[in-house]
Amino acid sequence: MTEEQRQSYHQNGFVAGVGVFDTSQIADARQQIEALERDHTAGAGGHDLNQFFRVNGHLVIPLLADLARTPAILDAVEGVLGPNLLVWSVEFFIKEAGSDKTVSWHQDLTYWGMGETDGEVTAWVALSDVSIEAGCMRFIPGSHHGRIVDHEDTFGADNLLSRGQQIADVNEADAVHGPLRPGEMSLHHGRCFHASGANKSSDRRIGLAIRYVTPEVRDDAPGRDYAMLVRGVDAARGWINVAGPRGLFAAPDLAFYDRVMADQSATLAAGATGDVSMYGAAGEEGASQ
Ligand SMILES: O=C(O)CCC(=O)C(=O)O
């Protein structure tokens, strides 16, 4: 990441177009992901693959843990968060070709039990051409300078978010698109307003969102929380440290996944007005945090 991109992140709360994989590397990653979809739809341990793709797949799928450890991604994230980095969550945002799925305007940190921290950033990696037509993310520049604002639960059927949470008052005229070519990523701050529209393209729109935190970010909500150290040291020990998967769907990792799931869903569901399906059986394209 260039110094200009780093400054842009701090000023605007997001930066797009950061190159991390070359064409053949990203094609290879997509091919491996689509092979998992083809060969392991049924998942394991009582959860289908879609569930692992939506939430915390890095605990049971080595490919996802490896992607989250990619040095080029960590270099960029280190540029904004500093030298000590943990992965809190890995999740896919997939919109099939021609899909009406959208993501409503929201701030990520609203329900994550981390307060209003500056110590969390999402690296969103494009595994396909994530153009405006394909429903790339839109951001409100500078919105991360404010606090967490009120969100309302809509539980919209076409909304990829678990509770369809949305910010009521967004001036869409201020929004900036963040299109990405395959192998590029964007970084966005946990308080930056963002959303995305339908995929009107003829290819799948595949994004991998990796949430990085620093050791100092503490989970002050009910329950406990977990993160995987990927760079530097965790001297604060505020997170329960996760080693990463032993192999694809290894039995002890599947049992651990269920424990993490139970502890995190207590935090996510706090204050919800309906049934939050973050970890439940999701629809065709699933629901996310
Ligand atoms: O993929 C999208 O359109 C939304 C992603 C998102 O909300 C996130 O990564 O926080």
Side-chain angles (χ1 to χ4, degrees):
M1 193 162 67
T2 63
E3 180 55 22
E4 198 183 338
Q5 286 175 318
R6 205 180 65 80
Q7 281 180 18
S8 173
Y9 171 84
H10 286 300
Q11 187 179 330
N12 297 315
F14 70 94
V15 59
V18 180
V20 279
F21 294 106
D22 67 27
T23 316
S24 78
Q25 288 170 325
I26 204 68
D28 182 54
R30 177 172 177 169
Q31 186 270 326
Q32 289 187 63
I33 286 155
E34 293 188 329
L36 278 170
E37 288 179 313
R38 203 174 48 242
D39 301 337
H40 295 279
T41 316
H47 306 296
D48 65 17
L49 185 71
N50 189 48
Q51 157 125 3
F52 296 127
F53 270 19
R54 299 308 294 148
V55 186
N56 286 335
H58 66 296
L59 301 177
V60 293
I61 301 173
L63 171 66
L64 301 189
D66 290 346
L67 287 170
R69 293 186 183 110
T70 301
I73 301 177
L74 297 181
D75 290 346
V77 175
E78 179 172 347
V80 299
L81 287 188
N84 303 313
L85 301 172
L86 300 100
V87 171
W88 175 69
S89 158
V90 176
E91 60 190 286
F92 281 101
F93 283 86
I94 299 175
K95 297 177 189 166
E96 301 298 339
S99 163
D100 289 331
K101 297 284 181 195
T102 60
V103 170
S104 47
W105 285 104
H106 68 286
Q107 291 167 295
D108 290 337
L109 287 172
T110 309
Y111 302 108
W112 289 354
M114 300 179 200
E116 295 185 319
T117 184
D118 292 313
E120 185 275 339
V121 66
T122 294
W124 197 104
V125 181
L127 287 120
S128 62
D129 186 12
V130 181
S131 59
I132 293 176
E133 187 192 20
C136 68
M137 275 191 283
R138 284 171 293 148
F139 305 91
I140 302 291
S143 48
H144 68 303
H145 292 305
R147 306 199 59 164
I148 294 179
V149 302
D150 287 345
H151 288 60
E152 59 191 13
D153 294 341
T154 68
F155 294 95
D158 279 330
N159 199 319
L160 282 179
L161 300 181
S162 57
R163 46 211 273 175
Q165 63 264 35
Q166 69 178 23
I167 301 168
D169 194 16
V170 174
N171 186 356
E172 301 243 2
D174 293 339
V176 173
H177 286 98
L180 300 170
R181 288 190 300 254
E184 288 183 342
M185 70 171 181
S186 54
L187 298 179
H188 68 262
H189 188 289
R191 292 195 309 276
C192 182
F193 294 12
H194 58 288
S196 69
N199 178 7
K200 299 194 170 75
S201 81
S202 55
D203 190 15
R204 313 178 77 193
R205 175 267 210 201
I206 309 174
L208 185 66
I210 311 168
R211 323 286 187 187
Y212 294 95
V213 290
T214 65
E216 292 74 29
V217 176
R218 295 225 174 207
D219 179 14
D220 57 1
R224 306 182 300 165
D225 218 341
Y226 304 79
M228 180 173 80
L229 187 67
V230 287
R231 181 165 279 186
V233 291
D234 175 7
R237 308 297 290 182
W239 301 99
I240 300 167
N241 277 223
V242 171
R246 279 156 252 231
L248 184 61
F249 301 139
D253 296 335
L254 289 167
F256 181 64
Y257 181 94
D258 283 341
R259 206 166 96 209
V260 173
M261 206 167 86
D263 288 343
Q264 288 186 341
S265 55
T267 301
L268 180 86
T273 54
D275 182 25
V276 178
S277 62
M278 172 182 179
Y279 302 116
E284 173 215 349
E285 286 156 284
S288 163
Q289 302 178 353

